[in-house]
């Protein structure tokens, strides 16, 4: 039976920086959810979080992705839309903690009509994954900004929202940027000091065939040393993840060149994946 209800469209509280990095357009960030809903959202936009990011510590008992009762922090949930996995009555918990609403990611595609205690909606597993990725990307971007020396005041100028991010609430980023983007770049502050940076990246094997071996090839300009560890990635199954690190070193006197660009290429017999590496130096 299919019951039609009000369709709520949550527009994600898109941060300007995330838009710039992902080149996302508005449509890509609109997801439709279905539920019987008698609420009308009071605000046009809400901050979005999920169970993992709003957890009250790491040693809680219960499933944090499912937002189980007792796993969430009131401070991190208050006023936000909380994305949770699987329908298990999370609306009650989130309501108690002052959350603005909930988005429930279903385990499988179904037509669901279910009344929520708070503004709520169901989304398909596919859309749920997009929402999770989006939440992860904004958080890693905040970590990146913290690492770059931004503080809550300057991050607010960039993100434009009323929400204040405090760098102490985010796990410190690993490596030079703390991001998992294909490209790597550093902005070198002092032209007289040498270049030194480390990037950590994780890739997922989504190509054809389950077994595949990719080798790294680096093209770099004179004076910029790039090492990839390990320089071979062997995948044994689809969707397997592998991590590698890229170490950059360079001397200070590089003949006044302001932008140094290198290229890391992972290739197997059929495919190649390119990652540009850029080093910006101010002029002396
Ligand atoms: C979060 O954890 C602290 C310390 O364990 C506890 O005092 C507090 O009640 C918890 N908050 C919620 C909302 O469960
Ligand atoms: C948490 O709950 C979700 C939804 O029911 C489920 O898909 C996931 O496997 C659970 N995770 C753990 C660690 O039990
Ligand atoms: C989001 O990040 C968490 C850990 O930070 C990870 O376990 C999860 O797989 C990520 N989800 C997606 C969809 O990228
Ligand atoms: C944040 O950084 C700006 C610019 O560096 C500085 O003027 C401001 O005092 C800092 N604010 C806080 C709260 O540390
Ligand atoms: C770099 O070295 C030059 C020449 O010694 C000096 O004039 C300049 O002030 C130095 N720049 C910085 C940012 O330290």
């Amino acid at each position: 039976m299919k019951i039609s209800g009000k369709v709520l469209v949550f527009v994600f509280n898109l941060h300007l920086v995330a838009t710039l990095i992902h080149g996302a357009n508005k449509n890509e960030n609109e997801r439709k959810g279905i539920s019987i809903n008698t609420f009308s959202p009071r605000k046009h936009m809400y901050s979005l979080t999920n169970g993992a990011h709003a957890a009250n510590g790491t040693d809680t008992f219960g499933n944090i992705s499912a937002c189980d009762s007792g796993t969430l922090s009131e401070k991190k949930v208050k006023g936000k839309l909380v994305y949770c996995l699987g329908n298990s009555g999370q609306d009650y918990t989130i309501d108690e903690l002052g959350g603005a609403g909930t988005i429930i990611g279903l385990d499988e595609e179904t037509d669901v009509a279910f009344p929520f205690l708070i503004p709520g909606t169901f989304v398909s597993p596919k859309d749920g994954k997009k929402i999770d990725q989006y939440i992860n990307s904004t958080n890693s971007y905040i970590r990146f900004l913290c690492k770059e020396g931004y503080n809550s005041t300057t991050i607010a100028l960039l993100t434009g929202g009323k929400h204040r991010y405090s760098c102490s609430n985010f796990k410190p980023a690993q490596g030079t940027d703390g991001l998992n983007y294909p490209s790597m770049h550093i902005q070198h502050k002092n032209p007289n000091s040498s270049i030194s940076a480390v990037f950590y990246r994780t890739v997922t094997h989504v190509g054809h065939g389950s077994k595949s071996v990719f080798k790294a090839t680096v093209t770099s300009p004179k004076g910029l040393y790039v090492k990839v560890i390990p320089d071979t990635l062997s995948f044994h199954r689809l969707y397997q993840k592998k991590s590698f690190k890229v170490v950059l070193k360079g001397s200070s006197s590089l003949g006044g060149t302001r932008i140094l660009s290198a290229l890391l290429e992972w290739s197997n017999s059929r495919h190649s994946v390119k990652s540009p590496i850029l080093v910006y130096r101010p002029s002396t």
Side-chain angles (χ1 to χ4, degrees):
M1 184 170 64
K2 188 172 177 178
I3 305 168
S4 55
K6 234 189 231 173
V7 176
L8 269 191
V9 180
F10 289 116
V11 179
F12 300 167
N13 186 358
L14 239 207
H15 303 299
L16 183 63
V17 280
T19 318
L20 290 177
I21 282 296
H22 296 299
N25 62 40
K26 193 162 169 264
N27 288 341
E28 274 180 356
N29 289 291
E30 270 184 23
R31 301 275 148 205
K32 282 187 184 154
I34 296 179
S35 71
I36 293 182
N37 227 302
T38 54
F39 303 93
S40 20
R42 256 176 282 147
K43 291 196 293 180
H44 184 57
M45 294 230 186
Y46 289 92
S47 285
L48 189 60
T49 188
N50 61 13
H53 284 100
N56 189 22
T58 48
D59 54 353
T60 49
F61 182 78
N63 182 334
I64 55 171
S65 316
C67 308
D68 278 356
S69 164
T71 62
L72 301 176
S73 144
E74 182 168 8
K75 204 176 101 202
K76 293 178 185 165
V77 163
K78 206 175 196 77
K80 293 188 188 159
L81 283 180
V82 188
Y83 170 73
C84 309
L85 259 187
N87 182 22
S88 57
Q90 302 92 334
D91 51 341
Y92 180 79
T93 311
I94 292 164
D95 187 29
E96 270 196 330
L97 299 176
T102 185
I103 302 173
I104 303 294
L106 293 170
D107 298 329
E108 49 193 49
E109 307 267 358
T110 32
D111 286 327
V112 193
F114 177 88
F116 284 96
L117 292 172
I118 50 174
T121 191
F122 288 111
V123 293
S124 67
K126 195 168 126 245
D127 280 349
K129 192 153 178 244
K130 282 258 177 358
I131 292 174
D132 243 358
Q133 277 168 350
Y134 172 73
I135 293 170
N136 276 3
S137 74
T138 54
N139 281 299
S140 70
Y141 213 78
I142 300 296
R143 284 206 295 269
F144 166 68
L145 293 175
C146 293
K147 191 127 197 169
E148 290 285 292
Y150 285 79
N151 60 30
S152 56
T153 318
T154 45
I155 291 174
L157 291 176
L158 267 181
T159 57
K162 269 203 214 122
H163 186 78
R164 285 296 163 122
Y165 292 95
S166 164
C167 289
S168 57
N169 288 340
F170 292 90
K171 259 194 274 172
Q174 202 194 14
T176 299
D177 60 0
L179 296 173
N180 193 31
Y181 286 119
S183 61
M184 288 155 240
H185 89 269
I186 55 169
Q187 189 111 28
H188 207 234
K189 291 182 180 96
N190 184 344
N192 298 338
S193 66
S194 55
I195 296 163
S196 171
V198 182
F199 297 91
Y200 293 88
R201 296 292 187 261
T202 299
V203 287
T204 309
H205 176 40
V206 292
H208 300 287
S210 50
K211 289 204 167 100
S212 200
V213 177
F214 283 81
K215 285 207 67 91
T217 316
V218 170
T219 318
S220 64
K222 202 163 171 277
L224 183 66
Y225 167 83
V226 180
K227 189 166 172 63
V228 184
I229 307 162
D231 63 0
T232 303
L233 300 176
S234 305
F235 296 95
H236 304 290
R237 53 182 169 82
L238 267 180
Y239 305 114
Q240 191 176 8
K241 287 186 197 294
K242 289 276 171 179
S243 299
F244 62 91
K245 95 179 175 183
V246 177
V247 181
L248 301 190
K249 292 208 182 300
S251 55
S252 53
S253 53
L254 289 166
T257 317
R258 290 200 54 202
I259 298 180
L260 293 169
S261 74
L263 184 71
L264 161 62
E265 206 170 341
W266 286 105
S267 43
N268 67 3
S269 52
R270 277 198 286 170
H271 297 98
S272 99
V273 183
K274 291 179 182 152
S275 285
I277 300 169
L278 290 173
V279 179
Y280 299 89
R281 283 181 344 125
S283 45
T284 32

